[in-house]
Amino acid sequence: MSRVYPFDDAATARAVIDDDGTLVEWSEGARRLLGHPADSVVGRPAARLLAGDGAAAVPAGARWEGTVALRHRDGRTVSVWLLAHHRPTGDGRGGDWLVVTPLTDRGPSAPDDPLERAGLIQSPCAVAVYDETLRLRRMNEAMAEVLALPEEHLRGLRISEIGGKPQSEELEQSMLQVLGTGRPLDVQTFMRSGDEEREYAWLARMAPVTDAEGRVRGVCLAAHDVSDNYRARQRMQLVNEASVRIGSTLDVTLTAQELADVCVPALADFVTIDLLDPEEYGGEPPARLTAPVNLRRVAQQSVLSGIPEAVTEPGRVEVYPAFSPQADSLVAGRTIRATVARGDLATWLTWSTARGQRVRDFGIHASMSVPIRARGLTLGVAVLTRHRRPDPFTDDDMLLAEEVTARAAVCIDNARRYSRERDTALALQRSLLPRTLPRTAALDASSRYLPAARAGVGGDWFDVIPLSGLRVAMVVGDVVGHGVQASATMGRLRTAVRTLADIDLAPDELLTHLDDLVVRLSEESGGDGSPGEVGATCLYAVYDPVSQRCAVARAGHPPPVVLEPGGEPRQLDLPAGPPLGLGGLPFESAEVELPEGTVLALYTDGLMVSRERAGGAARALLYQALAGDPDSLDETCDRVLHALLPAAGTADDVALLVARTRGLAASQVATWDIPADPALVGPIRRQVGDRLERWSLSGITFTAELVVSELVTNAIRYGSHPIRLRLIHDAATLIVEVSDTSHTAPHLRRAKTFDEGGRGLLLVAQLTQRWGSRHTTEGKTIWAELGLLELEEDQ
C-alpha cells in the first residue's frame, strides 16, 4: 500500500534567507517557535529577529550550526539551536541559506517501540532510524560522526533538512518509497558528509522498521562509505575508456585531443597537451631534455564552455622556463604535483602574468604535470588542473593519470611515426607521378591523385605517354600495399611502362613484359629465399587519332568508362586478364572505336570502394558525374571525386585519369603504295613536294623530301613488299612513316670512308626531331618526326 506524503512542515521551524540577508520563506513551524506570522517577516531583514544588537556575521562554508538568541513576538528572548545549509543556484549567482531546527519533543519512548529496538547504537556502521513522518528518531555515534552533529540537535529533522543538498532530497524520496512499499532499497549517491570539502561515495541501505503486528512504523537507514570501491571502479572505467577512445585515428592532433577529452571531467577540470617539435631535435624527440623547453599546444579541454582558462591557442609554440610545471616535469622525467596554496606555482605565475590572472579568475588551486613518454622518447607533457573540484590531486589520481597518459603516449608515437612515414611516402609518390600531363594532338587529359586518409600512401599511378604517329598511350596502375615500399615499386613499374611504350609494344605484349618484371620483383623482395608479396594491377590503352581506334588490355584492373558524344556512359567490355605477378598467364587486347570527343575515365579501385555504397551504386554515381558538363575535364575530375569519395577521405588511395579524344581529319593524312623499283623514288619525292605545298609546308620541302628518299630507298633495298609511305601532319609536327612486311629492324651504324652505304639513317637522325621503328602485325614501320615550328625558325 502506498502512502501519501507524510511530512508535517509544522514539526520543523524552517526559514530561507537570501544571500543579502532578506527572509524569503517562513514556515508554520517557525511561526510556532517565535510567534511571528509569515507576512510580518518575509521580505524583511532576518537580522531583526536576532536578540541583542541585531547584527550577525555571514557564516563561512556550506554549512553552519550553533545556538542563537532570537527575539520572540511577545518580546522575550528564545535560545534556539539552528542548522543552516547554503544552497547555491545553478547559474553561479549566489544562492540562499536554509535554516532549520526541530520542534517535536516526543519524550521517552515506550519499551516495545520498534524504532528504539532498531537503533543499533553500538554498530560501527552509520545507522539512523526515522519514524512514519520520516523525521529522525535515533542515530548511533557512527552516524553522528558522519554528520558531524550530535543526535540531540538533529532529532525531529528530516534527512533533507539535515543534509540540505539535492542528494539529501533524493534519499528522502527513496525512504518514502520504502515507507510505502515495505520493501528494502539500496541507493548509491556521491556527496560531501558534514562540513567536509571532499566528496564521498555512499551506499545507503534502507529497510522498513515494523512493529509486532508487521505494520511499517519507520525506516532504518545504514550508510556505508564505498568511496574506495567507487574510485577504484571509476579508475578502471577511465582506463577502459581511454583504451577505447584514445588512438582511434593515426593523427597526432586528434589523438592528443582524445587524451584531453578522456581526462575531463573524470580526472581534471582543465587539461592541456603540449608536444615537442621533433624537427627542432633533428627529426626525433630526445630521451632527456634541458630547460627552457619549446612546446607546441596541440590539444586542450575544459569543463567550461569555450575553454576560457587557456592562455595559449592550439598550434602555437611557447617557451617554458625551468620553473614552469611543464619544464620541471619534462626535465625530471616524472609527474609533478603542485598546489597554489603551498606556493608551488608562485614563481611561474609571477613570471606568466596572464596565467596568474587565469588562476585567480577561475580559482585554480591544483595542477599535475605528466610527461608523455613512449619507447624511451619524450614526446611532450599533459598538464591537468582543478578549479571546480575542491580536492587536490591524490596519489591514486597521479597513478591513474600516468596510466592513461602512457596509453595515449604509445598512440601518439604511433601516429607520429605513421605521419612521418606517410609524408615520406607521399613525397616519393608525388616525385614519381607526372607533375603535368603532356599536350598531345590525340587527346586532352586531366588527372587527380588522392592518398588514403587512414591506410597511408599506396602505389597508385597514372601516365600519358606520347607515341609515334601522333598516337598516345594511357596507363593507370595500382601496386598492392601501402607506404614507401609500395611507392618505390610503383616508380619502378611506371619507368618500365614508359620504357616498353617507347618500343611501341602492343598493350597485351607490354603487360606480359610487365608481368615478368613484377615476378622478378617478388623474388627479389623475399628475405629468406622465398618469394615476396609484390603484386599490381594495370590498364594500358593506346589511342590512334588517325583511325580513331583504341587498343586496350588490362591486368586485373577495373575497365574504363567511356562517354561518346550524344551517348550515355558505359563500361567497356574487356577481357579481365590476371593481376601482375602471377606469371605465365596470357593477356588479351581489345580494340574499340572512339569517335572524336569521346570521354574516357581510367581509375584505380580506391575510387569505387566505399563502405557506404555497393559497387552498382558507386558505378551509377560515376556515370552521373561523367554525364555532367563535359567541357572542363578538371571540373569533371572534381565532380567525380566529390560524388564518390566520403568527406572524411577514402580507405585506399585513388588515381583518376580523364581524357577526351581528338580525331585527325583525312585531309591531314596522305598515303602512297611504293613500287619495288628504286628508279621511281624520284617521282615519289615530287608527289611529296606537291602535297607539302598543298598543306602550306613548302618551307620544309627539301628536308622532308630528303628524309622520304632515304627511308623509301632503305625499305626498297632491305625490306619486303608491299611498301607503304604515309605522311601525317598537325599544327606542330610532320610525320613520315614507311612500312613494309619485314620484321628486321634497322639500326644506326658508323659508315667507313670507302663504304657506299650506311649513311642514310644517320642522315635521317640528324635532320629530324626524332625517329624510330615499331613492330606491327604485318611487319614494321620506320618513322621520323619533323618539328614544323623549329624548322620554320631555322629557315
Side-chain angles (χ1 to χ4, degrees):
M1 170 178 87
S2 61
R3 300 195 181 192
V4 296
Y5 199 66
F7 305 143
D8 178 12
D9 283 340
T12 301
R14 295 166 54 96
V16 177
I17 305 174
D18 206 345
D19 274 347
D20 62 2
T22 303
L23 270 166
V24 293
E25 290 185 24
W26 188 258
S27 72
E28 175 61 20
R31 187 199 64 76
R32 288 176 53 195
L33 177 64
L34 297 180
H36 300 283
D39 56 2
S40 66
V41 293
V42 172
R44 293 176 172 82
R48 293 184 179 181
L49 297 176
L50 297 175
D53 296 337
V58 178
R63 193 184 80 169
W64 179 90
E65 59 90 14
T67 302
V68 179
L70 299 178
R71 193 187 309 277
H72 196 276
R73 186 182 183 187
D74 59 12
R76 58 190 171 91
T77 298
V78 180
S79 182
V80 182
W81 178 86
L82 298 178
L83 175 62
H85 304 283
H86 189 259
R87 306 184 301 184
T89 58
D91 57 7
R93 300 178 181 177
D96 56 34
W97 288 88
L98 170 65
V99 183
V100 297
T101 190
L103 298 180
T104 304
D105 185 5
R106 300 181 182 272
S109 302
D112 60 346
D113 190 341
L115 301 178
E116 294 296 325
R117 296 197 307 270
L120 299 177
I121 299 302
Q122 296 182 356
S123 171
C125 178
V127 179
V129 180
Y130 295 81
D131 61 18
E132 291 180 284
T133 62
L134 293 187
R135 295 190 176 274
L136 179 68
R137 174 67 68 87
R138 294 294 307 276
M139 70 179 185
N140 64 2
E141 293 182 1
M143 181 63 79
E145 291 180 2
V146 170
L147 298 177
L149 291 171
E151 175 187 339
E152 57 269 20
H153 285 170
L154 301 179
R155 191 181 298 121
L157 290 179
R158 289 162 27 203
I159 191 172
S160 60
E161 297 167 339
I162 297 173
K165 303 176 182 66
Q167 298 94 323
S168 305
E169 296 180 0
E170 295 172 1
L171 288 175
E172 191 172 73
Q173 293 298 319
S174 299
M175 293 172 63
L176 179 61
Q177 181 180 343
V178 173
L179 196 66
T181 62
R183 292 193 295 270
L185 183 65
D186 290 348
V187 177
Q188 186 166 321
T189 186
F190 195 70
M191 59 188 294
R192 291 190 298 271
S193 63
D195 56 356
E196 292 192 25
E197 291 295 329
R198 180 184 175 187
E199 291 186 327
Y200 292 82
W202 296 96
L203 175 62
R205 312 201 72 171
M206 307 173 189
V209 179
T210 58
D211 58 16
E213 288 75 25
R215 293 175 298 180
V216 178
R217 298 287 301 278
V219 177
C220 178
L221 183 148
H224 302 272
D225 183 0
V226 293
S227 299
D228 291 341
N229 292 337
Y230 175 83
R231 289 189 171 89
R233 291 196 305 271
Q234 191 179 41
R235 287 192 295 271
M236 184 176 298
Q237 180 180 354
L238 184 60
V239 171
N240 291 337
E241 185 179 0
S243 300
V244 174
R245 292 178 57 184
I246 299 176
S248 61
T249 67
L250 286 172
D251 183 276
V252 173
T253 301
L254 292 179
T255 303
Q257 187 62 53
E258 289 167 347
L259 170 60
D261 294 343
V262 164
C263 292
V264 175
L267 196 55
D269 299 323
F270 173 51
V271 174
T272 62
I273 310 295
D274 297 289
L275 299 182
L276 296 163
D277 187 359
E279 300 302 326
E280 186 177 339
Y281 301 93
E284 196 71 9
R288 298 193 64 85
L289 291 164
T290 57
V293 182
N294 292 341
L295 295 172
R296 183 183 301 277
R297 176 64 49 84
V298 180
Q300 53 193 18
Q301 187 55 277
S302 170
V303 294
L304 302 178
S305 177
I307 317 181
E309 308 99 320
V311 174
T312 302
E313 294 297 325
R316 180 180 170 186
V317 176
E318 190 165 350
V319 179
Y320 292 88
F323 44 80
S324 65
Q326 291 87 343
D328 288 347
S329 177
L330 290 175
V331 172
R334 58 181 176 84
T335 301
I336 293 180
R337 287 178 288 173
T339 61
V340 175
R342 291 201 308 259
D344 301 331
L345 303 173
T347 305
W348 168 234
L349 298 180
T350 302
W351 184 83
S352 179
T353 56
R355 286 182 173 82
Q357 187 62 43
R358 293 290 201 285
V359 167
R360 291 186 291 272
D361 291 344
F362 296 99
I364 295 174
H365 60 86
S367 75
M368 180 166 55
S369 304
V370 186
I372 302 175
R373 292 176 56 84
R375 301 180 178 96
L377 298 177
T378 301
L379 306 177
V381 61
V383 178
L384 295 78
T385 57
R386 286 180 176 176
H387 53 78
R388 177 174 290 181
R389 292 177 58 169
D391 48 315
F393 291 104
T394 64
D395 292 341
D396 288 340
D397 293 333
M398 183 176 69
L399 293 175
L400 179 59
E402 289 175 345
E403 183 170 357
V404 172
T405 302
R407 291 172 180 260
V410 174
C411 298
I412 291 174
D413 190 48
N414 289 340
R416 180 186 65 85
R417 292 171 184 267
Y418 164 79
S419 298
R420 184 177 61 183
E421 181 177 344
R422 185 176 186 272
D423 292 343
T424 302
L426 186 58
L428 176 62
Q429 180 88 329
R430 297 293 189 190
S431 68
L432 295 175
L433 290 174
R435 295 188 177 182
T436 59
L437 297 179
R439 299 173 60 88
T440 68
L443 51 80
D444 299 315
S446 182
S447 62
R448 294 291 186 273
Y449 171 76
L450 270 70
R454 295 177 294 277
V457 177
D460 289 17
W461 89 92
F462 59 87
D463 215 342
V464 174
I465 308 170
L467 303 176
S468 62
L470 294 183
R471 296 170 306 127
V472 64
M474 296 168 285
V475 58
V476 173
D478 183 0
V479 175
V480 175
H482 296 86
V484 175
Q485 185 62 41
S487 296
T489 303
M490 177 274 290
R492 298 179 70 173
L493 295 185
R494 177 173 178 251
T495 301
V497 170
R498 294 189 71 90
T499 302
L500 295 171
D502 280 344
I503 60 176
D504 267 319
L505 291 179
D508 54 340
E509 294 182 40
L510 183 141
L511 292 182
T512 300
H513 285 281
L514 201 61
D515 182 53
D516 294 338
L517 173 60
V518 174
V519 170
R520 290 197 300 273
L521 292 177
S522 296
E523 294 172 351
E524 293 172 2
S525 65
D528 55 356
S530 59
E533 296 183 354
V534 178
T537 65
C538 184
L539 184 143
Y540 185 78
V542 176
Y543 173 69
D544 186 348
V546 177
S547 64
Q548 297 186 10
R549 299 190 67 81
C550 184
V552 190
R554 63 189 182 112
H557 201 86
V561 173
V562 299
L563 173 61
E564 296 181 2
E568 296 292 331
R570 61 184 175 87
Q571 188 171 279
L572 285 182
D573 184 15
L574 302 173
L580 299 174
L582 298 182
L585 298 177
F587 298 94
E588 297 181 60
S589 289
E591 193 170 279
V592 295
E593 185 174 354
L594 299 179
E596 184 175 5
T598 298
V599 175
L600 294 92
L602 289 70
Y603 53 88
T604 55
D605 58 1
L607 181 69
M608 307 296 282
V609 176
S610 174
R611 295 180 181 178
E612 289 78 18
R613 56 180 72 96
R619 192 175 299 111
L621 290 174
L622 175 60
Y623 290 172
Q624 183 179 355
L626 289 175
D629 183 11
D631 289 344
S632 172
L633 295 181
D634 277 337
E635 293 179 3
T636 300
C637 287
D638 293 337
R639 191 165 55 245
V640 168
L641 297 182
H642 179 74
L644 276 86
L645 299 184
T650 178
D652 194 6
D653 48 347
V654 174
L656 173 65
L657 178 64
V658 178
R660 184 188 296 110
T661 62
R662 295 179 180 177
L664 208 63
S667 59
Q668 295 177 268
V669 181
T671 305
W672 293 269
D673 290 325
I674 305 299
D677 187 357
L680 297 179
V681 173
I684 294 297
R685 291 180 58 173
R686 286 192 295 273
Q687 294 179 37
V688 168
D690 293 342
R691 179 55 59 100
L692 293 179
E693 186 175 359
R694 196 181 310 167
W695 285 343
S696 300
L697 299 177
S698 56
I700 63 168
T701 299
F702 176 78
T703 303
E705 288 182 351
L706 187 56
V707 170
V708 167
S709 177
E710 292 295 337
L711 293 181
V712 169
T713 302
N714 203 49
I716 293 174
R717 180 175 300 176
Y718 302 108
S720 301
H721 289 80
I723 300 173
R724 175 168 296 179
L725 168 65
R726 186 170 73 163
L727 299 184
I728 307 171
H729 93 88
D730 67 348
T733 308
L734 175 68
I735 299 172
V736 179
E737 293 183 346
V738 177
S739 304
D740 67 84
T741 56
S742 171
H743 292 280
T744 302
H747 62 277
L748 285 174
R749 67 183 179 88
R750 183 176 296 277
K752 297 179 181 179
T753 305
F754 299 103
D755 287 348
E756 295 183 2
R759 298 178 178 85
L761 289 180
L762 181 61
L763 181 62
V764 170
Q766 295 296 320
L767 293 177
T768 60
Q769 192 172 8
R770 62 181 188 138
W771 76 280
S773 65
R774 65 175 182 268
H775 290 280
T776 64
T777 55
E778 297 84 9
K780 68 175 183 297
T781 297
I782 311 299
W783 56 269
E785 292 184 2
L786 288 79
L788 300 181
L789 299 179
E790 294 180 3
L791 288 175
E792 289 177 358
E793 290 175 358
D794 293 341
Q795 295 174 1

